[in-house]
């Protein structure tokens, strides 16, 4: 009898080691495989990806050691995003990191019938995107971080810099639910600061030049959302605005580096780090994605570009410069 119990215990221990006691054990090489799907190629989403990898590394998941990444970029195409998600599921990755709303929607929709958890980042409104419920609990095996815009602070900042401005123009993609949500909030708060919002919806990237020209004839300034299609074409927008000497405000640090006048925005690298740490909890078996409420990054900071201000003949008030997290004195590509 003692011998039988001993053998049984050995079998149980062996099974426990193979399954990792609920942790992801990785493939044959012992490495965890993570599929990173990024919807578009621009600075803020790139920073999310870099931060995500850093957050994992801080929790012990280091590339080349015990984790490998499959990275794909959808280049702002919804069909490509779905194909990327389909490939990740077919390859049986251990976890999917979905960067930006369209990618997150594609990843969750494709992976929800599998056991693959989806961790999203840079999703402004997870509830509207049907990734979470109103109490922030997940819609399924999916969770992550939100980059909700600090709209009130942004409007206050614009009023401080442009005391005489009346109309703010916003370009947005009609296919991005988060952009539609942000437009609604801008309209609700604009009158508080004496502004009128003039919006222009676009369907594809090719619409942006004409829509920008039209909008610039109607407004005193532009402000960007975190709209991936629009931000991917930011150089075009900035060039056209510069020709008319109209300031463009960004929604995060990278847009200010590239030529926006200023922003009350988030640090997307830090957003990525938080997301990576959430993913590590899932990989370690400490929590299930389906049990984790999504998290919102609340800390917005002021960023300004003195070179852009000089070209526009605008003086950024001392009160903003003094409180700035970072000021830039040149425009970078």
């Amino acid at each position: 009898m003692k011998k039988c119990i001993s053998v049984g215990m050995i079998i149980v221990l062996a099974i426990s080691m193979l399954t990792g006691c609920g942790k992801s054990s990785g493939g044959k090489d012992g490495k965890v495989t993570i599929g990173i799907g990024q919807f578009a190629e621009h600075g803020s989403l790139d920073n999310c990806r870099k931060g995500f990898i850093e957050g994992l590394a801080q929790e012990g998941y280091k590339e080349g050691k015990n984790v490998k990444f499959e990275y794909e970029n959808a280049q702002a195409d919804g069909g490509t995003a779905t194909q990327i998600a389909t490939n990740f599921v077919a390859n049986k990755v251990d976890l999917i990191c979905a960067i930006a709303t369209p990618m997150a929607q594609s990843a969750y929709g494709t992976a929800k019938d599998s056991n693959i958890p989806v961790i999203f980042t840079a999703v402004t409104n997870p509830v509207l995107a049907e990734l979470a419920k109103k109490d922030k609990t997940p819609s399924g095996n999916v969770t992550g971080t939100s980059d909700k815009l600090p709209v009130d602070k942004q409007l206050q900042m614009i009023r401080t810099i442009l005391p005489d401005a009346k109309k703010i123009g916003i370009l947005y993609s009609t296919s991005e639910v988060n952009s539609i949500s942000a437009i609604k909030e801008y309209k609700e708060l604009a009158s508080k600061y004496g502004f009128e919002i003039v919006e222009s919806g676009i369907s594809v990237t090719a619409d942006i030049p004409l829509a920008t020209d039209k909008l610039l004839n109607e407004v005193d300034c532009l402000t960007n959302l975190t709209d991936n299609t629009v931000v991917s074409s930011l150089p075009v927008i900035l060039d056209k605005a510069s020709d008319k000497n109209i300031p463009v405000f960004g929604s995060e640090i990278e847009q200010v580096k590239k030529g926006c006048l200023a922003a009350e925005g988030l640090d997307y690298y830090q957003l990525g780090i938080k997301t990576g740490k959430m993913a590590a909890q899932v990989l370690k078996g400490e929590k299930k994605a389906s049990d984790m409420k999504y998290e919102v990054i609340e800390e917005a900071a002021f960023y300004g570009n003195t070179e852009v201000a000089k070209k526009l003949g605008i003086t950024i008030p001392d009160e903003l410069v003094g409180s700035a997290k970072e000021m830039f004195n040149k425009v970078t590509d």
Side-chain angles (χ1 to χ4, degrees):
M1 179 65 72
K2 289 182 180 180
K3 184 176 181 181
C4 291
I5 293 173
S6 178
V7 171
M9 289 177 65
I10 291 171
I11 292 172
V12 170
L13 286 170
I15 293 173
S16 177
M17 290 176 68
L18 287 171
T19 60
C21 295
K23 299 178 184 179
S24 179
S25 56
K28 292 181 180 179
D29 57 2
K31 294 180 181 178
V32 169
T33 300
I34 297 176
I36 301 179
Q38 184 172 318
F39 183 65
E41 189 169 354
H42 59 75
S44 57
L45 299 189
D46 292 343
N47 283 347
C48 273
R49 185 182 74 252
K50 294 172 185 176
F52 175 75
I53 293 171
E54 172 60 24
L56 282 167
Q58 290 180 12
E59 295 298 320
Y61 288 96
K62 299 183 179 180
E63 186 173 12
K65 179 181 178 182
N66 57 355
V67 64
K68 56 183 178 182
F69 298 105
E70 294 182 10
Y71 169 65
E72 299 287 347
N73 194 304
Q75 301 299 331
D77 183 88
T80 303
T82 299
Q83 186 58 53
I84 289 170
T86 300
N87 290 341
F88 286 158
V89 173
N91 293 341
K92 297 181 179 179
V93 298
D94 295 292
L95 180 143
I96 296 174
C97 171
I99 304 175
T101 302
M103 190 70 242
Q105 290 174 310
S106 294
Y108 175 55
T110 304
K112 64 182 178 182
D113 292 330
S114 71
N115 292 320
I116 301 173
V118 174
I119 309 296
F120 61 76
T121 186
V123 173
T124 305
N125 193 328
V127 176
L128 192 62
E130 298 183 348
L131 300 170
K133 301 170 186 175
K134 289 184 178 180
D135 62 355
K136 294 185 180 181
T137 57
S139 295
N141 199 19
V142 56
T143 191
T145 56
S146 167
D147 62 342
K148 186 180 183 304
L149 291 169
V151 174
D152 192 272
K153 290 183 179 180
Q154 180 82 348
L155 288 168
Q156 183 178 18
M157 178 263 296
I158 295 173
R159 176 52 74 208
T160 301
I161 296 175
L162 303 177
D164 299 322
K166 295 179 180 179
K167 294 183 179 182
I168 299 175
I170 303 178
L171 282 164
Y172 73 101
S173 175
T174 54
S175 62
E176 288 206 30
V177 293
N178 287 333
S179 295
I180 295 170
S181 174
I183 289 285
K184 181 181 178 182
E185 187 173 3
Y186 263 104
K187 286 185 172 181
E188 289 173 349
L189 294 173
S191 61
K192 176 180 176 182
Y193 297 97
F195 289 122
E196 177 187 343
I197 301 299
V198 182
E199 64 190 275
S200 181
I202 57 100
S203 299
V204 294
T205 303
D207 295 339
I208 289 177
L210 186 60
T212 302
D213 287 336
K214 184 177 183 299
L215 202 55
L216 288 171
N217 288 327
E218 301 176 21
V219 301
D220 301 298
C221 66
L222 298 180
T223 190
N224 283 320
L225 309 178
T226 51
D227 187 295
N228 297 289
T229 304
V230 174
V231 175
S232 294
S233 298
L234 186 57
V236 173
I237 297 167
L238 288 171
D239 283 345
K240 288 181 174 296
S242 178
D243 289 342
K244 290 184 174 293
N245 206 46
I246 292 178
V248 179
F249 293 92
S251 57
E252 47 82 34
I253 183 173
E254 292 300 325
Q255 294 178 24
V256 178
K257 288 181 181 179
K258 290 183 178 297
C260 287
L261 174 60
E264 277 286 346
L266 306 176
D267 185 329
Y268 276 73
Y269 185 73
Q270 293 300 321
L271 185 73
I273 288 177
K274 181 178 283 291
T275 312
K277 289 179 177 290
M278 292 178 74
Q281 289 182 296
V282 174
L283 292 171
K284 291 176 181 179
E286 296 173 354
K287 293 183 179 179
K288 293 180 180 179
S290 56
D291 295 331
M292 300 171 69
K293 292 184 177 182
Y294 74 83
E295 298 188 26
V296 181
I297 307 300
E298 302 285 357
E299 303 83 12
F302 177 75
Y303 302 93
N305 193 310
T306 55
E307 180 181 342
V308 175
K310 184 178 180 180
K311 287 181 178 179
L312 291 169
I314 293 173
T315 300
I316 299 176
D318 291 341
E319 62 187 275
L320 290 175
V321 175
S323 65
K325 184 171 183 180
E326 195 166 358
M327 295 291 295
F328 303 99
N329 58 15
K330 63 180 181 179
V331 174
T332 59
D333 295 330

